[in-house]
Amino acid sequence: MADNQDKLKRIDQHLRSITNRVPDNDLDNAASQLLRDLKDDAVQEGDQDFAKQMWCLDAVKECQNGFIKAFNDMKRRHFFGAWISLARCENILANLERHFGLDVDGSDAYRLVHIAKCAPQFQRLYPYKQFFSAGFIVQEVACSICGQELSLRDSCGHVVGEIYSGELCGGEIRKADLLEVSFVENPRFKHAVPFVNNSVTGKSEDHYNYASVHYAVENLTSPFAAWDLIVHKRQRLVSDFNYVGRNDPCPCGSGDKFKKCCMRKKYLLRQHYDIGFPDGNPEHLPPIVDNAIVRGKPRYPLDNVGASL
Amino acid sequence: MTQDQLVQISATDESFDYWIGRDYVSAELRERLSEANVLFTPYPGYLEYEGPLFPIETSEFFRYLQGNAGDGVIADVCIEDEDLEYLSLNHDVLELPNVLVKLLVAPMLVNLICGYILYRLGSRIKDASVEQELTIEDSRTGLRLKTKYKGPASKYDEFVGSIVRLLKDGDDLRTLAELEDAAHEERITRLSERRKR
Ligand SMILES: [Zn+2]
Ligand SMILES: [Zn+2]
């Protein structure tokens, strides 16, 4: 038991020492191994509560690592990869909130409260507005714990979303028919981002403008630096957007083509992002970058982001 | 969408007998379902697919009711286990199954639904959406009303709950028009109370 206490202490220290974490390095992998060992022992001894606690601590680490990876990916302009990591963090946080709580000691030592605030802020800065939505008729769902088919009146006893022997119970779809594919603005699975196909190469390419995400992340020194985001709409003259092509997305953010949306109007309402950097140096208010990161496209001014300290 | 459009109310003929008498309900199941005062009813289909369908959320919600409902609530699902098929869409809306409920237990059911919404969404409740049709049958007056809710998860009780409570307290409400009048008055009273504060 004393041995276990010592291991737990080492894990807690690892989860707190988040600013110099390198996901998946030797130290980090050693913590994963410790967690696995403790969980296996608990399961063997039938200690469900302890096994569940180990699941939670592992989820904390995964969420922290996912957020760090997302931040590093955004810095390297791997925006779609970062998007997937952020969505993953969001899912883990929802489970942790139910089983563990986000602020275990009142000081946000594991920084989960920070991640819960900032991951959605990054997501809001992303240019993805429409997502694929696949409609399925699901005929068979199985319990991920015991493999038995989920049945309404004759249940295996496991409840989806609960933790058994240190594993999260989920429904596994075994048999389903695809009925339709359409677009939605608020997807449950956020990975379904549509990309355009290059007519010459035949390959799909990333045509999105990530200027506002890039702007925010460029001005943050670490994933755990504080920042705020306020989004509101500002009225703008449509003539300000004469650089936007007829077939480009409308600056109002509807996701429709400019010519089919606001092109013929006098004014349009444009999303405006006010980003606050409370830890910033007042003498060095970050300059607004004036170019967008779009390959093979004209450089659009980043005119809808403001910064404050 | 304005606040008033979050919930639509209409009269309906779809009674307990109507659902229990569907051709996909066997004689054996029919006997079981006739005991229920909370009945999950299917969508009639989706796009070209014709056949009873339930939202993917159904089994989790059903299990929650079984675990948390008090003695008075008898919940069941209007389908054989082996015929159960779910509709799964990629949108972030908590889609609860449509429910037909007897007025007597409707206030209890609304409390359970609110409890479930909180259990499922946690702090996401502040920006998540809920969609559901709840049909309330008043055996005293024969009035049967369908409420169709699509809106913020946090406002489910304010809108659907207040209709259920109006019905429960008002045994003089016999038509949809009377309910709409009462709901209108109730809203005006609440608004003026808010202004006074
Ligand atoms: Zn099971
Ligand atoms: Zn527009």
Side-chain angles (χ1 to χ4, degrees), chain A residues 245-250 254-263:
Chain A
R246 297 165 50 83
N247 290 316
D248 288 334
C250 185
S254 64
D256 289 336
K257 288 181 178 175
F258 191 30
K259 67 178 179 192
K260 287 194 174 159
C261 195
C262 300
M263 195 176 87

Side-chain angles (χ1 to χ4, degrees), chain A residues 58-278:
Chain A
D58 191 47
V60 170
K61 193 168 86 68
E62 209 183 325
C63 182
Q64 295 174 331
N65 284 0
F67 190 65
I68 294 169
K69 281 179 195 165
F71 186 84
N72 294 342
D73 271 347
M74 285 185 277
K75 282 262 186 205
R76 292 159 48 212
R77 302 186 179 188
H78 291 191
F79 293 107
F80 181 64
W83 174 261
I84 300 290
S85 298
L86 290 172
R88 176 99 188 99
C89 289
E90 205 185 356
N91 287 338
I92 301 173
L93 285 170
N95 285 314
L96 281 174
E97 194 191 338
R98 186 190 278 190
H99 296 294
F100 189 71
L102 297 190
D103 194 357
V104 278
D105 63 351
S107 69
D108 195 23
Y110 293 165
R111 306 312 309 271
L112 297 176
V113 177
H114 172 86
I115 299 173
K117 178 192 170 199
C118 294
Q121 288 185 171
F122 281 123
Q123 287 172 322
R124 290 193 78 179
L125 289 174
Y126 263 77
Y128 308 147
K129 302 297 170 209
Q130 298 230 313
F131 300 83
F132 285 126
S133 165
F136 284 102
I137 307 284
V138 178
Q139 283 114 357
E140 202 182 314
V141 189
C143 169
S144 70
I145 300 295
C146 67
Q148 195 179 313
E149 187 181 344
L150 286 184
S151 143
L152 270 179
R153 299 183 175 91
D154 192 15
S155 159
C156 66
H158 298 123
V159 177
V160 170
E162 293 301 324
I163 293 163
Y164 302 94
S165 300
E167 302 298 332
L168 183 70
C169 178
E172 286 173 355
I173 293 177
R174 284 220 182 125
K175 221 169 110 194
D177 284 333
L178 179 65
L179 204 61
E180 55 138 7
V181 177
S182 57
F183 288 98
V184 287
E185 285 172 18
N186 57 336
R188 192 150 45 103
F189 307 111
K190 290 194 168 139
H191 58 265
V193 178
F195 291 101
V196 292
N197 248 24
N198 184 312
S199 53
V200 181
T201 63
K203 285 185 182 149
S204 86
E205 61 178 43
D206 193 338
H207 59 292
Y208 292 98
N209 181 337
Y210 297 100
S212 30
V213 192
H214 185 247
Y215 174 72
V217 85
E218 270 301 276
N219 291 300
L220 292 168
T221 48
S222 116
F224 300 100
W227 65 289
D228 301 297
L229 175 67
I230 297 166
V231 183
H232 51 95
K233 296 230 170 187
R234 273 193 192 169
Q235 193 180 49
R236 302 282 306 271
L237 276 167
V238 172
S239 56
D240 286 351
F241 299 97
N242 51 21
Y243 55 84
V244 177
R246 297 165 50 83
N247 290 316
D248 288 334
C250 185
C252 79
S254 64
D256 289 336
K257 288 181 178 175
F258 191 30
K259 67 178 179 192
K260 287 194 174 159
C261 195
C262 300
M263 195 176 87
R264 278 172 227 292
K265 294 183 196 162
K266 184 149 195 262
Y267 298 102
L268 59 78
L269 284 175
R270 181 151 163 87
Q271 202 97 287
H272 191 90
Y273 303 100
D274 272 326
I275 304 177
F277 300 99

Side-chain angles (χ1 to χ4, degrees), chain A residues 90 94 97-98 102 131-141 150-156 158-162 173 177 179-180 182 184 186-190 192, chain B residues 29 32-33 40 46-49 53 56 58-60 62-63 66 76-82 84-93 119-124 129:
Chain A
E90 205 185 356
E97 194 191 338
R98 186 190 278 190
L102 297 190
F131 300 83
F132 285 126
S133 165
F136 284 102
I137 307 284
V138 178
Q139 283 114 357
E140 202 182 314
V141 189
L150 286 184
S151 143
L152 270 179
R153 299 183 175 91
D154 192 15
S155 159
C156 66
H158 298 123
V159 177
V160 170
E162 293 301 324
I173 293 177
D177 284 333
L179 204 61
E180 55 138 7
S182 57
V184 287
N186 57 336
R188 192 150 45 103
F189 307 111
K190 290 194 168 139
Chain B
L29 180 61
R32 249 187 93 132
L33 296 185
F40 290 19
Y46 186 75
L47 301 178
E48 70 267 33
Y49 185 86
L53 281 175
I56 195 87
T58 302
S59 55
E60 221 180 316
F62 186 59
R63 197 133 303 138
Q66 286 179 322
D76 218 321
V77 186
C78 190
I79 197 85
E80 308 279 346
D81 253 323
E82 59 268 28
L84 185 63
E85 291 189 321
Y86 301 104
L87 177 64
S88 161
L89 299 173
N90 184 21
H91 64 178
D92 195 17
V93 176
Y119 162 79
R120 272 291 271 117
L121 298 173
S123 66
R124 288 202 303 136
S129 300

